[in-house]
């Protein structure tokens, strides 16, 4: 990949942000039968464009390969579902949405968000590329089209259903290899007077929190407000406001409008200033992240090896995509982490990609009473500390690997 070009500005994306080595697709959970078969590994070598500073993973794997049969069901996380409900309620109230309006959501998943607009009597359209997940949404009464958003499909959807008063793009802007085509699609879907909101993990928080496990093949870019604003501007969308959210380790929610120019809001100025202070508006400000990642790897391996040597049992909690980046990068297999558990029945009974660690139902932990539970979805720490409080009954302890190894008291 000597000739990687920046997908935003076209300049050669020659600089390394971090190179995590080779990894399988993080949502490619394996069945018992497929454990003996070959497995595809792809580079996780994240670049940064010296010209526009977009942090990006080259398209080693095509989006259609990843997202046409995706295993991620939004509805299996309590805090995410609550987050979606609060968002929907506040948008209905602040925009005065009713039966004469349209809310279109891109990457609408299983309808976890749009169902709240449906309940409020607002017409909706979901756009979801994974056919299996779109079907779940339709069954739940959420009108959903199965396709990838691009300039052409955006225009076709607008022709068929009309342009939307509100276009929602939550946790998808980082996931699109055709960043400019997707942005054009957003612009095509929204009314000239409408609003687009986008949520994506904030690069600033990724760096500060050493969240390297959020790097995987599904995430083609790692956005700051500065680079997202640059990308949206290519389709005439202007950022009018920004909110900082705690979701996914720290996200931004941008509010953008067609043709919006003029003075940036106070919030926009504040976030841009924080990014500038952290060095994110300079190439040199991105250095040092890779070394922090390798420190986490050493600390986690030292803990697991010491636990093993002392005869302690360590199991995992959760089977999120981010866990697979962590485990694969650190080379952790079932000799060091016997198994993990997950609430999603779609993952239970399967095996993690690359590491082949088995995934069981959560009840397994109470039955086995392990010494340590390594929490892989650390972004749900508050929720999981409550859910897993019972581990302390037998003296078990929760372990959080990121931002640095911490064994909860
Ligand atoms: Zn660039």
């Amino acid at each position: 990949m000597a000739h990687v070009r920046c997908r935003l500005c076209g300049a050669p994306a020659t600089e390394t942000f971090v190179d995590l080595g080779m990894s399988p697709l993080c949502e490619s959970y394996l069945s018992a039968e497929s454990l003996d078969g070959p497995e595809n590994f792809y580079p996780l070598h994240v670049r940064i464009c010296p010209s526009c500073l977009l942090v990006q993973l080259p398209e080693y794997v095509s989006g259609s390969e990843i997202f046409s049969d995706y295993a991620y069901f939004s509805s299996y996380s309590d805090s995410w579902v609550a987050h979606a409900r609060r968002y929907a309620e506040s948008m209905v109230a602040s925009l005065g949405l009713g039966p004469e309006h349209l809310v279109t959501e891109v990457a609408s998943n299983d309808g976890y968000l749009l169902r709240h607009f449906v309940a409020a009597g607002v017409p909706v359209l979901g756009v979801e590329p994974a056919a299996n997940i779109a079907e779940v949404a339709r069954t739940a009464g959420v009108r959903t089209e199965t396709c990838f958003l691009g300039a052409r499909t955006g225009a076709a959807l607008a022709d068929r259903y009309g342009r939307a008063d509100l276009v929602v793009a939550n946790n998808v802007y980082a996931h699109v290899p055709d960043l400019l085509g997707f942005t054009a699609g957003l612009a095509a879907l929204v009314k000239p007077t409408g609003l687009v909101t986008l949520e994506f993990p904030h690069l600033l928080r990724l760096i500060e929190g050493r969240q390297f496990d959020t790097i995987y093949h599904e995430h083609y870019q790692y956005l700051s407000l500065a680079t997202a604003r640059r990308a949206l501007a290519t389709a005439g969308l202007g950022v009018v406001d920004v909110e900082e959210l705690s979701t996914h380790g720290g996200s931004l929610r941008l509010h953008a409008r067609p043709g919006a120019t003029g003075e940036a809001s106070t919030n926009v100025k504040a976030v841009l200033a924080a990014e500038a202070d952290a060095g994110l508006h300079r190439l040199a400000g991105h250095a040092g992240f890779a070394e922090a990642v390798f420190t986490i790897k050493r600390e986690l391996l030292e803990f697991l090896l010491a636990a093993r040597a002392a005869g302690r049992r360590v199991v995992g909690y959760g089977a999120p995509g981010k866990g697979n980046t962590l485990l694969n990068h650190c080379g952790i297999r079932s000799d060091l982490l016997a198994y993990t558990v997950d609430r999603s029945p779609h993952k239970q009974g399967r095996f993690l990609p690359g590491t082949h660690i088995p995934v069981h139902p959560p009840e397994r932990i109470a039955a086995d009473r392990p010494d340590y539970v390594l929490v892989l979805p650390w972004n749900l720490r508050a929720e999981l500390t409550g859910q897993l409080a019972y581990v302390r009954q037998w003296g078990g302890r929760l372990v959080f690997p990121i931002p640095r190894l911490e064994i909860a008291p």
Side-chain angles (χ1 to χ4, degrees):
M1 297 294 274
H3 303 292
V4 176
R5 294 215 162 261
C6 172
R7 64 172 61 99
L8 175 47
C9 78
T14 46
E15 303 289 325
T16 292
F17 178 64
V18 65
D19 185 355
L20 298 175
M22 302 290 284
S23 199
L25 296 185
C26 76
E27 297 286 341
S28 303
Y29 297 88
L30 300 167
S31 62
E33 300 74 50
S34 54
L35 287 179
D36 292 335
E39 213 175 341
N40 288 328
F41 283 63
Y42 305 89
L44 266 183
H45 185 172
V46 184
R47 316 296 180 100
I48 177 166
C49 170
S51 177
C52 75
L53 301 182
L54 180 68
V55 175
Q56 56 198 292
L57 189 63
E59 194 177 358
Y60 299 114
V61 194
S62 77
S64 53
E65 196 171 328
I66 293 176
F67 294 112
S68 27
D69 187 22
Y70 208 52
Y72 184 72
F73 282 78
S74 299
S75 299
Y76 288 104
S77 162
D78 291 343
S79 61
W80 188 244
V81 168
H83 173 75
R85 193 191 61 241
R86 283 193 302 273
Y87 167 82
E89 288 170 356
S90 86
M91 294 314 279
V92 167
S94 68
L95 300 177
L97 297 174
E100 69 279 26
H101 297 111
L102 174 66
V103 175
T104 296
E105 186 188 14
V106 185
S108 51
N109 211 276
D110 56 9
Y112 72 101
L113 183 134
L114 286 179
R115 68 185 61 178
H116 300 295
F117 289 100
V118 171
V122 183
V124 302
L125 174 65
V127 183
E128 169 54 49
N132 59 327
I133 295 180
E135 190 51 41
V136 174
R138 284 186 210 106
T139 305
V142 175
R143 183 171 66 169
T144 302
E145 280 278 348
T146 304
C147 69
F148 282 95
L149 181 64
R152 196 179 49 78
T153 49
L157 289 168
D159 280 348
R160 181 161 177 203
Y161 297 100
R163 290 189 173 220
D165 300 275
L166 173 63
V167 175
V168 189
N170 284 351
N171 292 294
V172 60
Y173 210 41
H175 295 65
V176 288
D178 179 13
L179 180 64
L180 300 185
F182 180 89
T183 307
L186 289 178
L189 286 176
V190 69
K191 280 183 185 169
T193 54
L195 177 68
V196 180
T197 72
L198 304 101
E199 290 180 25
F200 52 82
H202 191 186
L203 177 66
L204 178 61
R205 303 294 165 222
L206 184 154
I207 292 175
E208 280 179 353
R210 302 168 158 194
Q211 302 164 357
F212 78 96
D213 58 346
T214 63
I215 293 169
Y216 36 79
H217 296 100
E218 285 77 344
H219 287 166
Y220 292 99
Q221 47 265 336
Y222 303 84
L223 296 155
S224 63
L225 174 53
T227 53
R229 194 159 78 148
R230 205 167 283 140
L232 289 165
T234 62
L237 294 169
V239 175
V240 294
D241 202 8
V242 59
E243 298 166 71
E244 293 187 88
L245 310 173
S246 62
T247 47
H248 293 284
S251 297
L252 294 180
R253 178 188 290 152
L254 305 193
H255 296 233
R257 290 188 183 276
T261 50
E263 184 79 347
S265 76
T266 311
N267 291 340
V268 170
K269 284 180 186 162
V271 173
L272 286 174
E275 289 181 351
D277 283 349
L280 292 195
H281 298 173
R282 296 178 293 116
L283 183 61
H286 298 74
F289 179 71
E291 196 47 48
V293 168
F294 301 139
T295 300
I296 290 176
K297 174 183 185 172
R298 282 193 299 273
E299 288 178 352
L300 178 57
L301 284 171
E302 281 166 9
F303 163 75
L304 290 171
L305 291 166
R308 177 84 181 142
R312 307 281 188 213
R313 300 191 62 233
V314 189
V315 307
Y317 185 91
K322 61 169 68 68
N324 292 326
T325 291
L326 177 77
L327 298 171
N328 272 299
H329 177 62
C330 298
I332 296 164
R333 301 176 70 94
S334 56
D335 58 322
L336 294 180
L337 191 71
Y339 58 83
T340 190
V341 302
D342 199 274
R343 288 169 71 187
S344 170
H346 301 275
K347 294 178 180 174
Q348 294 166 4
R350 300 177 87 176
F351 296 81
L352 301 185
T355 62
H356 295 192
I357 291 169
V359 185
H360 297 306
E363 296 72 35
R364 179 71 175 256
I365 289 181
D368 274 2
R369 303 159 74 94
D371 299 291
Y372 296 104
V373 177
L374 178 67
V375 180
L376 297 172
W378 47 261
N379 55 309
L380 304 177
R381 179 169 181 157
E383 175 181 345
L384 292 178
T385 298
Q387 275 181 28
L388 292 169
Y390 63 86
V391 170
R392 305 228 305 266
Q393 288 169 10
W394 62 82
R397 297 172 79 180
L398 303 185
V399 179
F400 298 90
I402 287 174
R404 60 181 326 129
L405 189 84
E406 185 183 342
I407 302 170

